[in-house]
Amino acid sequence: MDQKMRLSGILPVLPTPFADDGVDLDAMRRLVRFALEGGVDGVVFPGFASEVEALSAEERVALLAAVVAEVAGRIPVVAGASGGTVAEVVAHAHQAAALGIDLLMIQPPKSIGAGAEAVAAFLGAVAAQVPNAEIILQNAPAPRGSDLSPEAVVHVVRSVPSVRYVKEETLPAGPAITAILAEAPEHLRGVIGGGGARYILDEYERGACAAMPALEIADLHVSLDRAFRDGRKSEARALYIRSLPLLVLQAVYRMRLTKHILMLRGVADNRIVRAPTPEIDALALRDIDASYAECGLGRPGEGENA
Protein backbone atom coordinates (compact mmCIF):
# COMPACT_ATOMS: atom_id res chain seq x y z
CA MET A 1 0.00 0.00 0.00
CA ASP A 2 1.38 3.38 -1.03
CA GLN A 3 1.49 5.46 2.14
CA LYS A 4 1.34 8.58 -0.06
CA MET A 5 -2.16 7.83 -1.32
CA ARG A 6 -4.80 10.29 -0.21
CA LEU A 7 -6.49 9.44 3.08
CA SER A 8 -10.25 9.09 2.99
CA GLY A 9 -13.05 7.20 4.67
CA ILE A 10 -12.98 5.52 8.07
CA LEU A 11 -9.65 5.51 9.92
CA PRO A 12 -10.28 4.13 13.43
CA VAL A 13 -7.93 4.81 16.30
CA LEU A 14 -7.01 1.39 17.68
CA PRO A 15 -7.34 0.77 21.42
CA THR A 16 -4.54 -0.88 23.37
CA PRO A 17 -5.36 -4.38 24.61
CA PHE A 18 -3.91 -4.98 28.06
CA ALA A 19 -3.35 -8.20 29.98
CA ASP A 20 -2.67 -8.48 33.70
CA ASP A 21 1.06 -8.48 33.02
CA GLY A 22 1.37 -5.89 30.25
CA VAL A 23 0.18 -5.37 26.69
CA ASP A 24 -1.27 -8.19 24.61
CA LEU A 25 0.30 -8.30 21.15
CA ASP A 26 -1.83 -11.23 19.96
CA ALA A 27 -4.95 -9.30 20.93
CA MET A 28 -3.66 -6.27 19.05
CA ARG A 29 -3.38 -8.36 15.91
CA ARG A 30 -6.98 -9.52 16.42
CA LEU A 31 -8.11 -5.90 16.66
CA VAL A 32 -6.38 -5.13 13.38
CA ARG A 33 -8.03 -8.13 11.71
CA PHE A 34 -11.41 -6.95 13.01
CA ALA A 35 -10.76 -3.52 11.49
CA LEU A 36 -9.71 -5.02 8.16
CA GLU A 37 -12.73 -7.33 8.05
CA GLY A 38 -14.94 -4.30 8.68
CA GLY A 39 -13.58 -2.61 5.55
CA VAL A 40 -11.79 0.33 7.15
CA ASP A 41 -9.71 2.62 4.97
CA GLY A 42 -6.77 2.94 7.36
CA VAL A 43 -5.86 2.57 11.03
CA VAL A 44 -4.31 4.94 13.55
CA PHE A 45 -2.04 4.00 16.46
CA PRO A 46 -1.29 5.23 19.03
CA GLY A 47 -3.73 8.01 19.83
CA PHE A 48 -5.62 9.33 22.81
CA ALA A 49 -8.10 6.44 22.47
CA SER A 50 -5.10 4.07 22.62
CA GLU A 51 -4.23 5.34 26.14
CA VAL A 52 -0.93 6.44 24.65
CA GLU A 53 0.17 8.32 27.75
CA ALA A 54 -0.04 5.08 29.75
CA LEU A 55 2.30 3.14 27.44
CA SER A 56 6.01 2.67 27.95
CA ALA A 57 8.31 3.41 25.05
CA GLU A 58 8.93 -0.30 24.55
CA GLU A 59 5.22 -1.15 24.59
CA ARG A 60 4.44 1.60 22.14
CA VAL A 61 6.98 0.38 19.58
CA ALA A 62 6.04 -3.29 19.99
CA LEU A 63 2.34 -2.55 19.51
CA LEU A 64 2.93 -0.37 16.46
CA ALA A 65 5.12 -3.09 14.94
CA ALA A 66 2.32 -5.62 15.51
CA VAL A 67 -0.15 -3.30 13.77
CA VAL A 68 2.12 -2.86 10.76
CA ALA A 69 2.80 -6.59 10.50
CA GLU A 70 -0.91 -7.47 10.59
CA VAL A 71 -1.91 -4.74 8.14
CA ALA A 72 0.77 -6.04 5.78
CA GLY A 73 0.52 -3.04 3.47
CA ARG A 74 -3.19 -3.44 2.72
CA ILE A 75 -4.28 -0.05 4.07
CA PRO A 76 -2.47 3.05 5.32
CA VAL A 77 -1.18 3.11 8.89
CA VAL A 78 -1.06 6.48 10.65
CA ALA A 79 1.37 6.64 13.56
CA GLY A 80 0.65 8.92 16.46
CA ALA A 81 3.83 10.91 17.05
CA SER A 82 2.84 13.59 19.57
CA GLY A 83 5.31 14.58 22.24
CA GLY A 84 6.23 17.37 24.58
CA THR A 85 9.33 18.42 22.67
CA VAL A 86 10.57 18.44 19.10
CA ALA A 87 13.11 15.75 20.04
CA GLU A 88 10.37 13.45 21.38
CA VAL A 89 8.23 13.87 18.27
CA VAL A 90 11.20 13.25 15.99
CA ALA A 91 12.09 10.11 17.94
CA HIS A 92 8.54 8.79 17.46
CA ALA A 93 8.75 9.70 13.78
CA HIS A 94 11.99 7.79 13.32
CA GLN A 95 10.50 4.71 15.01
CA ALA A 96 7.53 4.92 12.65
CA ALA A 97 9.81 5.38 9.63
CA ALA A 98 11.75 2.26 10.61
CA LEU A 99 8.44 0.37 10.26
CA GLY A 100 7.70 1.95 6.89
CA ILE A 101 5.24 4.58 8.14
CA ASP A 102 5.46 8.18 6.95
CA LEU A 103 1.97 9.35 7.99
CA LEU A 104 2.33 11.04 11.38
CA MET A 105 -0.43 12.50 13.52
CA ILE A 106 0.94 15.23 15.78
CA GLN A 107 -0.89 17.23 18.43
CA PRO A 108 1.11 20.35 19.30
CA PRO A 109 2.08 20.34 22.98
CA LYS A 110 0.07 22.70 25.13
CA SER A 111 3.31 24.00 26.60
CA ILE A 112 3.99 26.07 23.48
CA GLY A 113 0.58 27.76 23.59
CA ALA A 114 -2.04 28.22 20.89
CA GLY A 115 -0.26 30.92 18.90
CA ALA A 116 0.01 30.21 15.19
CA GLU A 117 3.66 31.23 15.00
CA ALA A 118 4.70 29.00 17.89
CA VAL A 119 2.86 25.96 16.53
CA ALA A 120 4.25 26.55 13.04
CA ALA A 121 7.78 26.82 14.45
CA PHE A 122 7.35 23.58 16.39
CA LEU A 123 6.03 21.57 13.44
CA GLY A 124 8.51 23.20 11.11
CA ALA A 125 11.35 22.02 13.32
CA VAL A 126 9.91 18.50 13.26
CA ALA A 127 9.46 18.57 9.48
CA ALA A 128 13.06 19.67 8.97
CA GLN A 129 14.27 16.48 10.68
CA VAL A 130 11.78 14.09 9.06
CA PRO A 131 11.44 15.53 5.54
CA ASN A 132 9.71 12.46 4.08
CA ALA A 133 6.85 12.54 6.57
CA GLU A 134 3.31 13.66 5.88
CA ILE A 135 1.98 15.36 9.00
CA ILE A 136 -1.60 15.31 10.22
CA LEU A 137 -2.04 18.32 12.49
CA GLN A 138 -4.29 17.18 15.32
CA ASN A 139 -6.27 20.14 16.59
CA ALA A 140 -7.78 18.84 19.82
CA PRO A 141 -10.06 20.89 22.08
CA ALA A 142 -9.11 22.19 25.49
CA PRO A 143 -8.28 21.02 28.07
CA ARG A 144 -6.55 18.13 26.26
CA GLY A 145 -5.42 20.12 23.24
CA SER A 146 -4.45 23.59 22.15
CA ASP A 147 -7.87 24.46 20.65
CA LEU A 148 -6.34 26.31 17.69
CA SER A 149 -8.56 28.74 15.81
CA PRO A 150 -9.23 28.04 12.11
CA GLU A 151 -7.08 31.07 11.27
CA ALA A 152 -4.19 29.63 13.29
CA VAL A 153 -4.60 26.23 11.63
CA VAL A 154 -4.49 27.77 8.16
CA HIS A 155 -1.39 29.76 9.09
CA VAL A 156 0.36 26.60 10.30
CA VAL A 157 -0.58 24.68 7.16
CA ARG A 158 0.67 27.50 4.94
CA SER A 159 3.91 27.76 6.90
CA VAL A 160 4.71 24.03 7.02
CA PRO A 161 4.17 22.27 3.67
CA SER A 162 4.69 18.88 5.34
CA VAL A 163 1.32 19.37 7.05
CA ARG A 164 -0.86 17.57 4.54
CA TYR A 165 -3.96 16.95 6.68
CA VAL A 166 -5.73 18.48 9.64
CA LYS A 167 -7.68 16.42 12.15
CA GLU A 168 -10.20 18.95 13.40
CA GLU A 169 -11.66 18.09 16.82
CA THR A 170 -12.55 21.44 18.32
CA LEU A 171 -16.21 22.11 19.04
CA PRO A 172 -18.14 22.87 17.01
CA ALA A 173 -15.97 21.19 14.42
CA GLY A 174 -18.21 21.86 11.43
CA PRO A 175 -17.67 25.62 11.06
CA ALA A 176 -13.94 25.15 11.64
CA ILE A 177 -13.77 22.56 8.83
CA THR A 178 -15.59 24.97 6.50
CA ALA A 179 -13.25 27.82 7.38
CA ILE A 180 -10.08 25.75 6.99
CA LEU A 181 -11.07 24.31 3.62
CA ALA A 182 -12.07 27.74 2.34
CA GLU A 183 -8.57 29.11 2.91
CA ALA A 184 -6.41 26.00 2.63
CA PRO A 185 -3.36 25.98 0.33
CA GLU A 186 -3.18 23.41 -2.44
CA HIS A 187 -0.81 21.10 -0.57
CA LEU A 188 -3.43 20.37 2.10
CA ARG A 189 -4.89 17.01 1.07
CA GLY A 190 -7.90 17.17 3.39
CA VAL A 191 -9.48 17.73 6.78
CA ILE A 192 -10.37 14.71 8.92
CA GLY A 193 -13.18 14.67 11.47
CA GLY A 194 -12.77 13.64 15.08
CA GLY A 195 -15.11 13.61 18.03
CA GLY A 196 -15.69 9.87 17.83
CA ALA A 197 -17.85 10.29 14.67
CA ARG A 198 -20.57 11.91 16.77
CA TYR A 199 -20.71 14.71 14.19
CA ILE A 200 -19.68 12.76 11.09
CA LEU A 201 -22.54 13.76 8.78
CA ASP A 202 -22.03 17.47 9.38
CA GLU A 203 -18.29 17.01 8.90
CA TYR A 204 -18.79 15.12 5.64
CA GLU A 205 -21.32 17.65 4.33
CA ARG A 206 -18.69 20.35 4.88
CA GLY A 207 -16.05 18.47 2.91
CA ALA A 208 -14.18 16.37 5.48
CA CYS A 209 -12.30 13.61 3.66
CA ALA A 210 -12.30 11.08 6.49
CA ALA A 211 -13.22 10.35 10.09
CA MET A 212 -11.24 8.87 12.98
CA PRO A 213 -13.70 7.19 15.34
CA ALA A 214 -13.00 4.51 17.93
CA LEU A 215 -12.94 0.91 16.72
CA GLU A 216 -15.92 -0.85 18.28
CA ILE A 217 -18.50 -0.11 15.53
CA ALA A 218 -16.09 0.50 12.66
CA ASP A 219 -18.13 -1.69 10.32
CA LEU A 220 -21.21 0.47 10.88
CA HIS A 221 -19.14 3.57 10.24
CA VAL A 222 -17.81 2.04 7.02
CA SER A 223 -21.37 1.35 5.87
CA LEU A 224 -22.33 4.93 6.73
CA ASP A 225 -19.30 6.28 4.86
CA ARG A 226 -20.03 4.24 1.75
CA ALA A 227 -23.70 5.20 1.74
CA PHE A 228 -22.84 8.90 2.04
CA ARG A 229 -20.23 8.78 -0.72
CA ASP A 230 -22.60 6.87 -3.00
CA GLY A 231 -25.26 9.54 -2.57
CA ARG A 232 -27.51 7.37 -0.40
CA LYS A 233 -27.75 10.06 2.23
CA SER A 234 -31.00 8.88 3.82
CA GLU A 235 -29.38 5.49 4.43
CA ALA A 236 -26.28 7.19 5.85
CA ARG A 237 -28.48 9.21 8.19
CA ALA A 238 -30.36 6.12 9.37
CA LEU A 239 -27.05 4.46 10.24
CA TYR A 240 -25.89 7.63 11.97
CA ILE A 241 -29.02 7.75 14.12
CA ARG A 242 -28.54 4.10 15.07
CA SER A 243 -24.99 4.84 16.23
CA LEU A 244 -25.73 7.89 18.35
CA PRO A 245 -26.98 6.40 21.65
CA LEU A 246 -23.85 4.29 21.93
CA LEU A 247 -21.55 7.13 20.89
CA VAL A 248 -23.07 9.46 23.48
CA LEU A 249 -22.18 6.89 26.15
CA GLN A 250 -18.76 6.35 24.58
CA ALA A 251 -18.02 10.03 25.16
CA VAL A 252 -18.33 9.32 28.90
CA TYR A 253 -16.90 5.84 29.38
CA ARG A 254 -14.30 6.14 26.61
CA MET A 255 -11.86 3.22 26.28
CA ARG A 256 -13.68 1.09 28.82
CA LEU A 257 -16.83 1.16 26.69
CA THR A 258 -14.83 0.48 23.52
CA LYS A 259 -13.30 -2.61 25.08
CA HIS A 260 -16.62 -3.79 26.51
CA ILE A 261 -18.28 -3.65 23.08
CA LEU A 262 -15.30 -5.40 21.52
CA MET A 263 -15.75 -8.12 24.16
CA LEU A 264 -19.41 -8.47 23.17
CA ARG A 265 -18.28 -8.81 19.57
CA GLY A 266 -15.81 -11.56 20.43
CA VAL A 267 -12.72 -9.52 19.60
CA ALA A 268 -11.36 -8.39 23.00
CA ASP A 269 -10.69 -10.55 26.06
CA ASN A 270 -11.26 -7.89 28.72
CA ARG A 271 -11.81 -4.19 29.27
CA ILE A 272 -8.69 -3.49 31.30
CA VAL A 273 -7.67 0.17 31.08
CA ARG A 274 -4.75 2.14 32.45
CA ALA A 275 -5.99 5.63 31.69
CA PRO A 276 -8.30 7.33 34.21
CA THR A 277 -11.70 6.22 32.91
CA PRO A 278 -15.10 6.02 34.67
CA GLU A 279 -16.13 2.59 35.88
CA ILE A 280 -19.16 0.97 34.26
CA ASP A 281 -21.66 -0.11 36.92
CA ALA A 282 -24.55 -2.52 36.37
CA LEU A 283 -27.09 0.11 35.31
CA ALA A 284 -24.68 1.81 32.96
CA LEU A 285 -23.81 -1.59 31.51
CA ARG A 286 -27.47 -2.27 30.81
CA ASP A 287 -27.77 1.07 29.00
CA ILE A 288 -24.62 0.40 26.99
CA ASP A 289 -25.75 -3.08 25.97
CA ALA A 290 -29.16 -1.76 24.89
CA SER A 291 -27.54 1.01 22.87
CA TYR A 292 -25.24 -1.47 21.20
CA ALA A 293 -28.21 -3.69 20.33
CA GLU A 294 -29.86 -0.72 18.64
CA CYS A 295 -26.85 -0.45 16.32
CA GLY A 296 -27.99 -3.72 14.74
CA LEU A 297 -24.54 -5.30 14.64
CA GLY A 298 -25.25 -8.40 16.70
CA ARG A 299 -26.80 -9.56 19.93
CA PRO A 300 -25.09 -8.18 23.05
CA GLY A 301 -23.95 -10.45 25.83
CA GLU A 302 -25.29 -10.45 29.35
CA GLY A 303 -22.35 -8.58 30.85
CA GLU A 304 -20.98 -11.44 32.99
CA ASN A 305 -17.53 -9.89 32.86
CA ALA A 306 -18.64 -6.53 34.18
Side-chain angles (χ1 to χ4, degrees):
M1 173 64 64
D2 180 6
Q3 291 285 321
K4 296 294 187 182
M5 71 181 297
R6 188 179 299 271
L7 294 175
S8 66
I10 302 301
L11 316 170
V13 181
L14 301 174
T16 296
F18 295 109
D20 290 333
D21 58 351
V23 298
D24 188 335
L25 297 180
D26 288 337
M28 176 57 90
R29 295 185 185 97
R30 288 202 307 274
L31 294 177
V32 174
R33 289 196 293 273
F34 173 77
L36 291 169
E37 290 164 3
V40 304
D41 302 286
V43 291
V44 183
F45 186 85
F48 178 71
S50 315
E51 303 174 74
V52 60
E53 294 177 353
L55 297 175
S56 70
E58 294 77 15
E59 289 172 336
R60 180 173 179 153
V61 173
L63 288 160
L64 184 58
V67 170
V68 171
E70 196 64 40
V71 166
R74 287 173 282 185
I75 55 175
V77 176
V78 176
S82 301
T85 66
V86 169
E88 289 176 19
V89 174
V90 169
H92 294 322
H94 286 161
Q95 290 168 347
L99 295 170
I101 302 170
D102 54 22
L103 289 163
L104 306 176
M105 186 164 70
I106 303 172
Q107 177 180 303
K110 291 192 68 176
S111 60
I112 66 172
E117 294 290 349
V119 174
F122 184 92
L123 292 179
V126 171
Q129 297 185 59
V130 284
N132 294 324
E134 292 196 350
I135 295 173
I136 303 170
L137 166 59
Q138 183 176 11
N139 186 26
R144 179 167 60 91
S146 300
D147 221 347
L148 302 173
S149 69
E151 295 78 15
V153 169
V154 170
H155 176 87
V156 172
V157 173
R158 290 185 179 278
S159 301
V160 187
S162 292
V163 176
R164 308 304 298 274
Y165 297 92
V166 173
K167 182 187 181 186
E168 182 54 62
E169 298 186 274
T170 59
L171 297 176
I177 291 171
T178 296
I180 293 166
L181 289 175
E183 300 296 332
E186 289 187 4
H187 71 261
L188 186 72
R189 290 176 175 262
V191 178
I192 300 167
R198 283 178 283 276
Y199 318 103
I200 187 171
L201 287 185
D202 181 50
E203 293 166 349
Y204 274 15
E205 289 285 0
R206 293 170 181 271
C209 65
M212 287 186 182
L215 179 64
E216 64 269 22
I217 57 171
D219 43 356
L220 184 153
H221 285 136
V222 167
S223 295
L224 185 161
D225 174 88
R226 302 303 186 264
F228 183 92
R229 294 179 191 280
D230 289 346
R232 295 176 279 119
K233 292 191 177 181
S234 60
E235 181 181 338
R237 187 160 192 84
L239 290 166
Y240 175 65
I241 290 169
R242 277 165 49 185
S243 76
L244 282 180
L246 187 66
L247 295 184
V248 168
L249 293 167
Q250 202 269 349
V252 176
Y253 295 104
R254 305 296 302 182
M255 308 84 172
R256 206 180 296 272
L257 180 146
T258 292
K259 294 177 182 182
H260 173 70
I261 298 301
L262 290 169
M263 287 174 62
L264 294 184
R265 306 198 71 182
V267 184
D269 297 323
N270 60 61
R271 60 170 186 250
I272 298 172
V273 298
R274 290 181 182 174
T277 312
E279 295 284 349
I280 303 176
D281 65 13
L283 289 176
L285 191 66
R286 184 188 308 171
D287 193 16
I288 290 167
D289 286 358
S291 297
Y292 168 66
E294 291 169 356
C295 289
L297 296 172
R299 185 176 179 178
E302 299 301 323
E304 295 93 340
N305 298 315

